[in-house]
Amino acid sequence: MEQLKQRILNEGIVISDEILKVDSFLNHQIDPLLMHDIGAEFARRFARRRVTKILTLESSGIAPALMTGLLLRVPVIFAKKRIPSTLTQGFYRASVFSYTKQETTELIVAERFLTPADTILIIDDFLANGEAARGLTDIVTRSGASLAGIGVVIEKAFQPGGALLRERGLRVDSLVRIRRLAPDGIEFVDE
Ligand code: G4P
C-alpha cells in the first residue's frame, strides 16, 4: 500500500533495529483518512470471504479494525486486556507473551459474540512475533467460528510471526512488510 509506505518513510522513527515508532498516525495520534483507506484496502482484499465479524485487540488495533468493519458492514469485537467487572461469566481467555514489551497479557472475549456461524477476520496494527495473532486465532478456534484470515497494517518481516502463521496455513495479508529497520533507512519487502 503505497500511501502507507510513504507515511512510514516520512513520519516513522526507527527506535532500534527492531522497533518502529509510528505514533503520528497509528499508535497515539490517529489519522482517520488513512485509517479509512486502510479499512477500504482490507475490505477489498477480504471481500469474497463472507466475513461476518472483525476481531482485534485493544488498543491500537481498534482504529484499522473499526474502519474495516465499517466498509464490510460488519461488527467489530476487540479483545480486552483486563476482565471487565461487567463480564462475570462466559468469556474466552488467551495468554500472550509480548517479546517487544517483555510481559504477558490476557486477551478476553465474551463468548456470546463469537458463534460457529461466524467467519472472523482478525485485524492488528503490528505483526512481530505473532503472539497476539496466535492468541486471537486460539479464541476463534475454541468458539467454533471460521477464520477468514489475518489483516496486518505493518508486518516486520524480519521477525518470525508472519512465517509462523503462514506455516499453519493461515492467510496473512499485510499492507506493508518491512525487511529491515536501520537508522539510515527503512527497507520494505518488494511486492
Ligand atoms: P506480536 O503480537 O506479533 O508477538 O508482537 P509483540 O508481542 O512483540 O508486540 C506487542 C505489542 O508491541 C503490540 O502492542 C504491538 O503492536 C507492539 N509492537 C510490536 N512491534 C512494534 C513496533 O515495531 N512498533 C510499535 N510502535 N509497536 C510495536 P500492544 O501491546 O497490543 O499495545 P497497543 O499499542 O495496541 O496498546
Side-chain angles (χ1 to χ4, degrees):
M1 190 179 170
E2 197 50 42
Q3 180 191 181
L4 179 59
K5 279 186 187 169
Q6 287 309 319
R7 294 295 292 270
I8 292 170
L9 289 173
N10 293 338
E11 298 171 44
I13 298 168
V14 177
I15 301 286
S16 70
D17 57 8
E18 293 208 339
I19 302 291
L20 173 69
K21 183 169 168 173
V22 282
D23 66 352
S24 63
F25 60 84
L26 181 60
N27 290 129
H28 192 16
Q29 176 171 265
I30 300 172
D31 181 337
L33 295 178
L34 178 64
M35 289 307 124
H36 176 274
D37 292 353
I38 284 171
E41 181 61 21
F42 283 133
R44 188 184 68 75
R45 293 186 186 204
F46 286 93
R48 293 189 181 169
R49 294 292 179 113
R50 297 175 190 270
V51 171
T52 61
K53 287 183 180 172
I54 311 286
L55 177 63
T56 189
L57 69 162
E58 60 179 354
S59 56
S60 298
I62 295 175
L66 183 65
M67 288 300 181
T68 309
L70 176 69
L71 291 151
L72 286 174
R73 298 277 187 265
V74 297
V76 177
I77 307 160
F78 63 95
K80 300 200 175 199
K81 292 180 176 167
R82 286 189 188 160
I83 303 172
S85 57
T86 50
L87 190 62
T88 49
Q89 58 183 4
F91 53 84
Y92 299 107
R93 179 185 214 156
S95 290
V96 298
F97 179 71
S98 166
Y99 293 95
T100 305
K101 297 186 173 175
Q102 288 293 308
E103 62 186 26
T104 299
T105 308
E106 297 287 320
L107 301 182
I108 311 286
V109 178
E111 284 177 8
R112 68 193 175 97
F113 294 132
L114 296 174
T115 75
D118 281 314
T119 298
I120 305 297
L121 170 59
I122 292 173
I123 296 285
D124 204 0
D125 58 337
F126 270 93
L127 175 59
N129 295 288
E131 271 286 288
R134 183 194 55 74
L136 293 175
T137 58
D138 283 357
I139 288 174
V140 172
T141 303
R142 275 187 271 153
S143 75
S146 305
L147 182 65
I150 301 166
V152 172
V153 179
I154 302 173
E155 176 179 344
K156 293 186 290 179
F158 55 86
Q159 289 179 304
L164 289 171
L165 295 165
R166 292 181 181 104
E167 275 164 21
R168 287 174 51 197
L170 300 176
R171 175 175 169 186
V172 181
D173 259 48
S174 302
L175 301 186
V176 302
R177 300 180 72 217
I178 294 176
R179 187 204 311 274
R180 183 170 163 269
L181 285 176
D184 58 340
I186 300 166
E187 284 175 22
F188 296 99
V189 176
D190 302 321
E191 285 168 318

